[in-house]
Amino acid sequence: MSENGRVLLISNSSTDNGVMGFSNLKANNKGNTITCSDTTLGADTMFYQEMDFIGYSHIQHLVPKFEPFNQAIASVIISACRVSTSNSNYDYGNKFNRNAMNNTKIQLPTKNGKIDFEFIESFIAELEAERLAELESYLLATGLKDYTLTAEEQQVLQDFENDKFIWCEFKLGDFFEINPTQYYKLQNEEIISKNSKIPLVSNCSIDNGVMGFSHLKANNKGNTITCSDTTLGAETMFYQKNDFIGYSHIQHLVPKIEPFNQFIANVIITASRVSTSKKYDYGNKFNRLAMNKTKIQLPAKNQQPNYAIMETLISAIQKLVIKEVVLYADSKSRVHKRSIMHQSVSSHKGI
């Protein structure tokens, strides 16, 4: 891996499309294919790879034998594989290896006894259009379509990039009261229910730690941070905006400081992940005692945390990210509208 690399390195990760990092070495696996780790219990590490890439050990390369093949078709196949393997009998002694992949049976749409690729592509296009409309509505409703940086945000970004920040070391225990979350001593099926709104925060390292949603009363306050005490670092540390239900082995980091909000939380979480990376192991996990003692680097002023600059920095970074999302949404919207117009003209000509 290298800081300025551009070629994807695909690993056994179940997040970030399996991308472990980037390299300057030549890609040695073709894109427009699928990858999947053979060390897992199902297809949770199965991803579509658009670009040529570098593989990691224990990564299987699924090269299509048929045409057409593209991201839309791959996404349906991957979803079908995840459904098929979710309730299978795989375990740590019987993993989802190459032989299992070859023998996995999946359900796909068919027409006249053949896979209906045309329907699959059309179906995915409709889903993308729906999601795009939802995204545009969300951006407008939240005001996030405004991605113009203020003069202050531009200056803070420039100072950050030019290493002009002053950094000091602090302990997590200085900022938070850290205690186990309150949780219901019930089975998951008694807690999680459809069409519910109260998040159940678990030991999961994705989806903000949310395992599902419940109709039960929230028993932990929001505008706080959660983190599993069974992991090897802060990869399960997330900001919880709303009140929530806790799970066993989840620590609740309740701020002692003011102000406290998502921007400040994001800086602290990132600093915690950097600080704990590769530091803990299975015999020495990132438990409550370790959290309290963990030292992190934060922007400072007069040897105190500089919360104002943290908020400005994260606001600027958020705008840069949102800019890419808005431009992507606008581009996809134009393509979709042109497609509709083309279909309309073609239909009219056929009358």
Side-chain angles (χ1 to χ4, degrees):
M1 289 190 294
S2 58
E3 290 184 3
N4 300 316
R6 294 188 176 183
V7 178
L8 304 175
L9 172 60
I10 306 300
S11 72
N12 301 287
S13 174
S14 60
T15 60
D16 299 326
N17 219 63
V19 178
M20 182 181 187
F22 298 85
S23 176
N24 284 320
L25 299 177
K26 185 179 179 180
N28 52 6
N29 297 275
K30 288 294 183 182
N32 193 34
T33 53
I34 291 174
T35 56
C36 187
S37 170
D38 60 18
T39 65
T40 54
L41 309 186
D44 54 316
T45 60
M46 187 175 284
F47 298 106
Y48 173 74
Q49 304 301 337
E50 180 180 10
M51 311 298 294
D52 294 355
F53 64 93
I54 295 171
Y56 202 69
S57 61
H58 289 288
I59 297 298
Q60 297 295 326
H61 195 194
L62 287 72
V63 180
K65 299 178 180 178
F66 58 90
E67 291 183 355
F69 188 77
N70 51 42
Q71 187 168 8
I73 294 168
S75 65
V76 172
I77 291 174
I78 290 169
S79 295
C81 288
R82 290 180 177 172
V83 169
S84 178
T85 61
S86 62
N87 294 316
S88 58
N89 294 320
Y90 295 111
D91 55 36
Y92 288 99
N94 177 34
K95 295 184 179 180
F96 188 54
N97 56 26
R98 183 170 21 160
N99 185 54
M101 293 179 200
N102 272 300
N103 290 320
T104 292
K105 294 181 179 180
I106 59 176
Q107 296 281 335
L108 293 176
T110 60
K111 184 177 182 180
N112 299 325
K114 295 183 179 180
I115 299 172
D116 194 345
F117 294 115
E118 184 178 346
F119 170 79
I120 290 174
E121 292 184 89
S122 175
F123 177 70
I124 294 300
E126 288 181 15
L127 284 181
E128 286 183 345
E130 289 177 10
R131 296 296 177 268
L132 182 60
E134 291 174 0
L135 173 61
E136 290 181 327
S137 297
Y138 173 77
L139 292 173
L140 285 171
T142 56
L144 290 176
K145 269 217 164 186
D146 177 17
Y147 52 76
T148 304
L149 295 174
T150 65
E152 182 183 13
E153 288 167 341
Q154 289 177 336
Q155 185 62 55
V156 166
L157 271 179
Q158 186 175 338
D159 289 346
F160 176 74
E161 291 169 354
N162 293 329
D163 201 22
K164 291 185 177 180
F165 278 19
I166 296 171
W167 299 84
C168 285
E169 192 173 71
F170 304 93
K171 289 195 299 184
L172 272 180
D174 295 335
F175 300 110
F176 302 98
E177 293 286 352
I178 306 176
N179 291 292
T181 56
Q182 299 295 316
Y183 65 96
Y184 290 100
K185 294 181 179 180
L186 300 170
Q187 297 298 317
N188 290 344
E189 55 269 22
E190 297 177 278
I191 301 175
I192 299 174
S193 55
K194 292 182 179 179
N195 303 318
S196 297
K197 296 183 178 180
I198 305 300
L200 170 62
V201 178
S202 71
N203 302 286
C204 183
S205 61
I206 58 175
D207 297 330
N208 220 58
V210 177
M211 182 181 188
F213 295 87
S214 178
H215 63 285
L216 300 176
K217 184 178 179 181
N219 49 8
N220 297 274
K221 289 293 184 183
N223 193 34
T224 53
I225 290 175
T226 55
C227 187
S228 170
D229 60 19
T230 65
T231 54
L232 310 187
E235 70 269 17
T236 60
M237 186 177 283
F238 297 106
Y239 173 75
Q240 304 299 337
K241 179 180 179 181
N242 300 309
D243 294 355
F244 64 94
I245 294 171
Y247 203 70
S248 62
H249 289 288
I250 298 298
Q251 297 295 325
H252 196 193
L253 287 72
V254 179
K256 302 176 183 177
I257 56 175
E258 289 186 2
F260 187 76
N261 52 43
Q262 188 166 4
F263 290 163
I264 294 170
N266 284 339
V267 176
I268 292 174
I269 290 169
T270 301
S272 298
R273 290 179 178 172
V274 170
S275 177
T276 61
S277 176
K278 299 180 181 178
K279 185 176 180 180
Y280 295 93
D281 56 38
Y282 288 100
N284 178 31
K285 294 186 179 178
F286 188 51
N287 57 25
R288 183 174 16 157
L289 180 62
M291 291 179 201
N292 271 294
K293 292 183 176 181
T294 291
K295 294 179 179 179
I296 59 175
Q297 296 281 337
L298 294 177
K301 183 177 182 180
N302 299 325
Q303 297 189 337
Q304 295 297 317
N306 191 337
Y307 299 119
I309 208 169
M310 291 184 209
E311 292 184 79
T312 305
L313 174 64
I314 297 301
S315 174
I317 292 173
Q318 177 176 273
K319 284 185 177 180
L320 292 178
V321 173
I322 289 298
K323 179 180 179 180
E324 297 300 319
V325 174
V326 172
L327 294 178
Y328 168 80
D330 288 345
S331 173
K332 294 288 284 187
S333 180
R334 287 194 295 271
V335 170
H336 182 61
K337 288 174 182 176
R338 284 200 298 269
S339 176
I340 291 174
M341 289 178 63
H342 176 73
Q343 292 174 16
S344 177
V345 170
S346 298
S347 175
H348 180 71
K349 287 180 179 179
I351 295 175

